[in-house]
Amino acid sequence: MTELAESVAASTDLAQRLLHAHGYRALRLGMSEADAVATGLLTSDDTSGVCRFYRFAGSEGSQPKTSGVFISPTNGVVMIGGTSKMLTPQGIWRGSELADLRDAYPVLRRDRLCDWIYRAAAPGNPRAHYWFTVDGGRVTDFGLQASEL
């Protein structure tokens, strides 16, 4: 493979892993449950409550038990939890250091109730924000959430 072909393949792989301001791959915030399931990215986990909870297919990476994709019957996809293979466009992933998180998101706010949760705007989508859980100075979980719930 040529150097250019390797570079294109690497950038394509990276683009496929981004949890961007509107969603992940074909999965988008606000998408209906039927459309979200039709992406083929999700496996059913707990759909017994009002807000439906799905997990990503194993090929998309691992997730903590408390993370996943939450879908409201009225608002569609309202939260997309990150997996071990995902990262934000600003380069933050599970395992990033708190200092890197602060550099990537200069306007980073701590949650009022849970001081281990941080929130940052999702550049390019004023109706969403990223959230990050931090333990021991490292990001342990993250996701994209609709701000207007």
Side-chain angles (χ1 to χ4, degrees):
M1 193 180 286
T2 68
E3 188 174 315
L4 176 60
E6 287 175 2
S7 176
V8 169
S11 65
T12 299
D13 180 55
L14 179 63
Q16 293 293 312
R17 297 175 45 214
L18 290 180
L19 179 58
H20 57 80
H22 296 278
Y24 173 72
R25 295 189 185 192
L27 183 67
R28 300 284 187 258
L29 290 176
M31 181 179 270
S32 72
E33 182 176 8
D35 289 344
V37 171
T39 65
L41 295 168
L42 307 177
T43 61
S44 180
D45 192 62
D46 179 5
T47 57
S48 60
V50 173
C51 196
R52 316 278 277 189
F53 173 78
Y54 288 85
R55 298 191 76 51
F56 277 101
S59 60
E60 299 304 322
S62 64
Q63 289 184 286
K65 286 176 97 172
T66 56
S67 189
V69 177
F70 293 82
I71 304 175
S72 158
T74 54
N75 298 315
V77 174
V78 293
M79 188 178 82
I80 302 171
T83 72
S84 59
K85 291 185 176 182
M86 292 181 195
L87 70 158
T88 71
Q90 291 72 27
I92 301 300
W93 51 279
R94 281 191 352 216
S96 291
E97 293 183 12
L98 180 56
D100 294 331
L101 177 62
R102 286 188 170 127
D103 287 344
Y105 298 95
V107 182
L108 189 64
R109 293 190 170 87
R110 272 189 155 164
D111 188 85
R112 291 178 299 191
L113 301 175
C114 303
D115 67 357
W116 65 89
I117 299 175
Y118 293 79
R119 298 185 191 285
N125 187 351
R127 294 183 172 169
H129 64 270
Y130 289 107
W131 55 265
F132 306 91
T133 59
V134 177
D135 186 30
R138 292 198 176 271
V139 173
T140 57
D141 196 11
F142 72 100
L144 178 70
Q145 184 171 338
S147 296
E148 299 173 9
L149 299 178

